[in-house]
Amino acid sequence: MNRRRVASGSPYEPVIGFSRAAVAGHHVSVAATAAIMPEDGEPPADAYGQAKRCLEIIVAALEEVGASAQDVIRTRCFIVAAEDWVEVGRAHGEVFSEVRPASAMIVVRGFIDPRWRVEIEADAVLDEG
């Protein structure tokens, strides 16, 4: 089976031992993605801004393997505050309103970096052609 891995430059990738995205055959899995900013910049303080950044990173990883947001079949949004679902959902809808993948919004206790309000995962399927 054809396998590929994509790195995004997250400082956690080499430490934890994971890839931003992994491709096996026609399946693409994008790891839980937080609002990691270029050059160790501060993430946006708000859930909407963080979700937008997460989705930018996810879409870039998808594009690197020849996929797009249109190929996504499932997402999972992990949030630390239930009330953030509206803003995270708004950012998610801006990318996926036409695609409408299966999705979940899950409230969690926290993340590695306490500034993070959201992490998002995505699964996609590449065309067979």
Short mmCIF file of all heavy atoms in Angstrom, two decimals, residues 12 34-36 42-47 50 78-81 84 108-119:
data_model
loop_
_atom_site.label_atom_id
_atom_site.label_comp_id
_atom_site.label_asym_id
_atom_site.label_seq_id
_atom_site.Cartn_x
_atom_site.Cartn_y
_atom_site.Cartn_z
N TYR A 12 5.99 20.02 17.85
CA TYR A 12 5.60 18.80 18.54
C TYR A 12 5.78 17.55 17.67
O TYR A 12 5.85 16.45 18.21
CB TYR A 12 4.13 18.89 18.99
CG TYR A 12 3.92 20.01 19.99
CD1 TYR A 12 3.36 21.21 19.58
CD2 TYR A 12 4.30 19.85 21.31
CE1 TYR A 12 3.18 22.23 20.50
CE2 TYR A 12 4.11 20.87 22.22
CZ TYR A 12 3.56 22.07 21.81
OH TYR A 12 3.38 23.09 22.70
N ALA A 34 -3.72 22.31 16.06
CA ALA A 34 -3.94 23.50 16.88
C ALA A 34 -3.45 24.72 16.10
O ALA A 34 -2.82 24.60 15.04
CB ALA A 34 -3.19 23.37 18.19
N ALA A 35 -3.70 25.88 16.64
CA ALA A 35 -3.36 27.14 15.99
C ALA A 35 -1.88 27.47 16.20
O ALA A 35 -1.52 28.45 16.84
CB ALA A 35 -4.24 28.26 16.52
N ILE A 36 -1.01 26.62 15.64
CA ILE A 36 0.43 26.88 15.69
C ILE A 36 0.71 28.01 14.70
O ILE A 36 0.33 27.95 13.54
CB ILE A 36 1.24 25.63 15.29
CG1 ILE A 36 0.91 24.45 16.20
CG2 ILE A 36 2.73 25.94 15.25
CD1 ILE A 36 1.46 24.54 17.59
N GLU A 42 2.12 34.25 18.74
CA GLU A 42 1.00 34.00 19.63
C GLU A 42 -0.22 33.56 18.80
O GLU A 42 -0.53 34.17 17.78
CB GLU A 42 0.62 35.28 20.38
CG GLU A 42 1.53 35.63 21.52
CD GLU A 42 1.41 34.67 22.69
OE1 GLU A 42 0.27 34.34 23.08
OE2 GLU A 42 2.45 34.26 23.20
N PRO A 43 -0.92 32.53 19.26
CA PRO A 43 -2.15 32.15 18.55
C PRO A 43 -3.21 33.20 18.80
O PRO A 43 -3.15 33.94 19.79
CB PRO A 43 -2.52 30.81 19.20
CG PRO A 43 -1.92 30.86 20.55
CD PRO A 43 -0.65 31.66 20.41
N PRO A 44 -4.20 33.29 17.92
CA PRO A 44 -5.31 34.20 18.19
C PRO A 44 -5.92 33.87 19.55
O PRO A 44 -5.94 32.72 19.97
CB PRO A 44 -6.30 33.91 17.05
CG PRO A 44 -5.47 33.31 15.96
CD PRO A 44 -4.37 32.56 16.67
N ALA A 45 -6.43 34.87 20.24
CA ALA A 45 -7.00 34.65 21.57
C ALA A 45 -8.39 34.04 21.50
O ALA A 45 -8.83 33.39 22.44
CB ALA A 45 -7.04 35.98 22.34
N ASP A 46 -9.08 34.24 20.38
CA ASP A 46 -10.47 33.80 20.27
C ASP A 46 -10.60 32.46 19.55
O ASP A 46 -9.75 32.08 18.75
CB ASP A 46 -11.29 34.86 19.54
CG ASP A 46 -10.82 35.06 18.10
OD1 ASP A 46 -9.62 35.37 17.91
OD2 ASP A 46 -11.63 34.88 17.18
N ALA A 47 -11.68 31.76 19.84
CA ALA A 47 -11.91 30.43 19.26
C ALA A 47 -12.07 30.49 17.74
O ALA A 47 -11.59 29.61 17.03
CB ALA A 47 -13.15 29.79 19.90
N GLN A 50 -8.62 30.94 16.15
CA GLN A 50 -7.85 29.72 16.27
C GLN A 50 -8.38 28.64 15.32
O GLN A 50 -7.60 27.95 14.67
CB GLN A 50 -7.86 29.21 17.71
CG GLN A 50 -7.00 30.04 18.62
CD GLN A 50 -6.74 29.37 19.95
OE1 GLN A 50 -6.89 28.17 20.11
NE2 GLN A 50 -6.32 30.17 20.92
N PHE A 78 -12.28 19.57 18.68
CA PHE A 78 -12.14 19.44 20.12
C PHE A 78 -12.05 20.85 20.69
O PHE A 78 -11.20 21.64 20.25
CB PHE A 78 -10.87 18.65 20.46
CG PHE A 78 -10.86 17.27 19.86
CD1 PHE A 78 -10.26 17.04 18.63
CD2 PHE A 78 -11.47 16.21 20.51
CE1 PHE A 78 -10.25 15.77 18.06
CE2 PHE A 78 -11.47 14.93 19.95
CZ PHE A 78 -10.86 14.72 18.73
N ILE A 79 -12.92 21.18 21.63
CA ILE A 79 -12.96 22.53 22.20
C ILE A 79 -12.89 22.44 23.72
O ILE A 79 -13.35 21.48 24.32
CB ILE A 79 -14.23 23.29 21.76
CG1 ILE A 79 -15.50 22.52 22.11
CG2 ILE A 79 -14.18 23.57 20.25
CD1 ILE A 79 -16.81 23.23 21.77
N VAL A 80 -12.32 23.48 24.35
CA VAL A 80 -12.21 23.47 25.81
C VAL A 80 -13.39 24.15 26.50
O VAL A 80 -13.56 23.99 27.69
CB VAL A 80 -10.88 24.10 26.30
CG1 VAL A 80 -9.70 23.24 25.89
CG2 VAL A 80 -10.73 25.52 25.82
N ALA A 81 -14.18 24.89 25.77
CA ALA A 81 -15.35 25.56 26.34
C ALA A 81 -16.54 25.31 25.43
O ALA A 81 -16.50 25.63 24.24
CB ALA A 81 -15.09 27.06 26.48
N ASP A 84 -17.79 27.80 22.90
CA ASP A 84 -17.00 28.10 21.70
C ASP A 84 -17.53 27.38 20.45
O ASP A 84 -17.07 27.66 19.35
CB ASP A 84 -15.53 27.71 21.92
CG ASP A 84 -14.78 28.70 22.80
OD1 ASP A 84 -15.30 29.81 23.05
OD2 ASP A 84 -13.66 28.35 23.23
N VAL A 108 -13.36 19.04 25.68
CA VAL A 108 -12.27 18.37 26.39
C VAL A 108 -11.78 19.25 27.54
O VAL A 108 -12.12 20.43 27.62
CB VAL A 108 -11.10 18.04 25.43
CG1 VAL A 108 -11.53 17.08 24.33
CG2 VAL A 108 -10.51 19.32 24.82
N ARG A 109 -10.98 18.70 28.40
CA ARG A 109 -10.48 19.43 29.58
C ARG A 109 -9.39 20.43 29.24
O ARG A 109 -9.20 21.41 29.95
CB ARG A 109 -9.99 18.45 30.62
CG ARG A 109 -11.10 17.61 31.18
CD ARG A 109 -10.58 16.75 32.28
NE ARG A 109 -10.34 17.57 33.45
CZ ARG A 109 -10.92 17.39 34.62
NH1 ARG A 109 -11.74 16.40 34.78
NH2 ARG A 109 -10.65 18.19 35.62
N GLY A 110 -8.62 20.17 28.22
CA GLY A 110 -7.53 21.08 27.88
C GLY A 110 -6.58 20.46 26.87
O GLY A 110 -6.75 19.31 26.46
N PHE A 111 -5.58 21.26 26.48
CA PHE A 111 -4.58 20.84 25.51
C PHE A 111 -3.18 21.05 26.07
O PHE A 111 -3.00 21.64 27.13
CB PHE A 111 -4.75 21.64 24.21
CG PHE A 111 -6.08 21.46 23.56
CD1 PHE A 111 -6.97 22.53 23.46
CD2 PHE A 111 -6.47 20.24 23.05
CE1 PHE A 111 -8.21 22.36 22.87
CE2 PHE A 111 -7.71 20.06 22.45
CZ PHE A 111 -8.58 21.14 22.37
N ILE A 112 -2.17 20.61 25.34
CA ILE A 112 -0.78 20.75 25.75
C ILE A 112 -0.44 22.21 26.05
O ILE A 112 0.21 22.51 27.05
CB ILE A 112 0.17 20.18 24.67
CG1 ILE A 112 0.01 18.67 24.57
CG2 ILE A 112 1.62 20.55 24.96
CD1 ILE A 112 0.75 18.07 23.38
N ASP A 113 -0.88 23.10 25.19
CA ASP A 113 -0.64 24.53 25.37
C ASP A 113 -1.93 25.15 25.91
O ASP A 113 -2.97 25.10 25.24
CB ASP A 113 -0.26 25.16 24.03
CG ASP A 113 0.17 26.61 24.15
OD1 ASP A 113 -0.42 27.35 24.97
OD2 ASP A 113 1.08 27.02 23.41
N PRO A 114 -1.91 25.74 27.09
CA PRO A 114 -3.14 26.28 27.68
C PRO A 114 -3.75 27.45 26.91
O PRO A 114 -4.90 27.81 27.16
CB PRO A 114 -2.70 26.69 29.09
CG PRO A 114 -1.23 26.84 29.03
CD PRO A 114 -0.75 25.90 27.95
N ARG A 115 -3.03 28.02 25.95
CA ARG A 115 -3.60 29.10 25.13
C ARG A 115 -4.56 28.56 24.07
O ARG A 115 -5.38 29.30 23.54
CB ARG A 115 -2.49 29.89 24.44
CG ARG A 115 -1.53 30.57 25.39
CD ARG A 115 -0.36 31.18 24.64
NE ARG A 115 0.38 30.12 23.95
CZ ARG A 115 1.39 30.33 23.10
NH1 ARG A 115 1.77 31.56 22.81
NH2 ARG A 115 2.00 29.31 22.52
N TRP A 116 -4.44 27.28 23.75
CA TRP A 116 -5.27 26.71 22.70
C TRP A 116 -6.70 26.52 23.18
O TRP A 116 -6.94 26.00 24.27
CB TRP A 116 -4.72 25.37 22.24
CG TRP A 116 -3.35 25.43 21.63
CD1 TRP A 116 -2.69 26.54 21.16
CD2 TRP A 116 -2.47 24.33 21.43
NE1 TRP A 116 -1.46 26.19 20.69
CE2 TRP A 116 -1.29 24.84 20.83
CE3 TRP A 116 -2.56 22.98 21.69
CZ2 TRP A 116 -0.22 24.04 20.49
CZ3 TRP A 116 -1.49 22.17 21.35
CH2 TRP A 116 -0.34 22.70 20.75
N ARG A 117 -7.65 26.90 22.36
CA ARG A 117 -9.08 26.74 22.64
C ARG A 117 -9.70 25.64 21.79
O ARG A 117 -10.78 25.15 22.10
CB ARG A 117 -9.82 28.05 22.40
CG ARG A 117 -9.27 29.21 23.23
CD ARG A 117 -10.07 30.47 23.06
NE ARG A 117 -11.44 30.29 23.50
CZ ARG A 117 -11.85 30.37 24.77
NH1 ARG A 117 -10.98 30.61 25.72
NH2 ARG A 117 -13.12 30.21 25.07
N VAL A 118 -9.01 25.27 20.70
CA VAL A 118 -9.57 24.29 19.76
C VAL A 118 -8.46 23.52 19.07
O VAL A 118 -7.37 24.05 18.84
CB VAL A 118 -10.48 25.01 18.71
CG1 VAL A 118 -9.71 26.05 17.93
CG2 VAL A 118 -11.14 24.02 17.77
N GLU A 119 -8.73 22.27 18.77
CA GLU A 119 -7.93 21.46 17.85
C GLU A 119 -8.91 20.79 16.91
O GLU A 119 -10.02 20.43 17.31
CB GLU A 119 -7.10 20.40 18.59
CG GLU A 119 -5.93 20.96 19.36
CD GLU A 119 -4.92 19.90 19.77
OE1 GLU A 119 -4.69 18.94 18.98
OE2 GLU A 119 -4.38 20.01 20.87
#
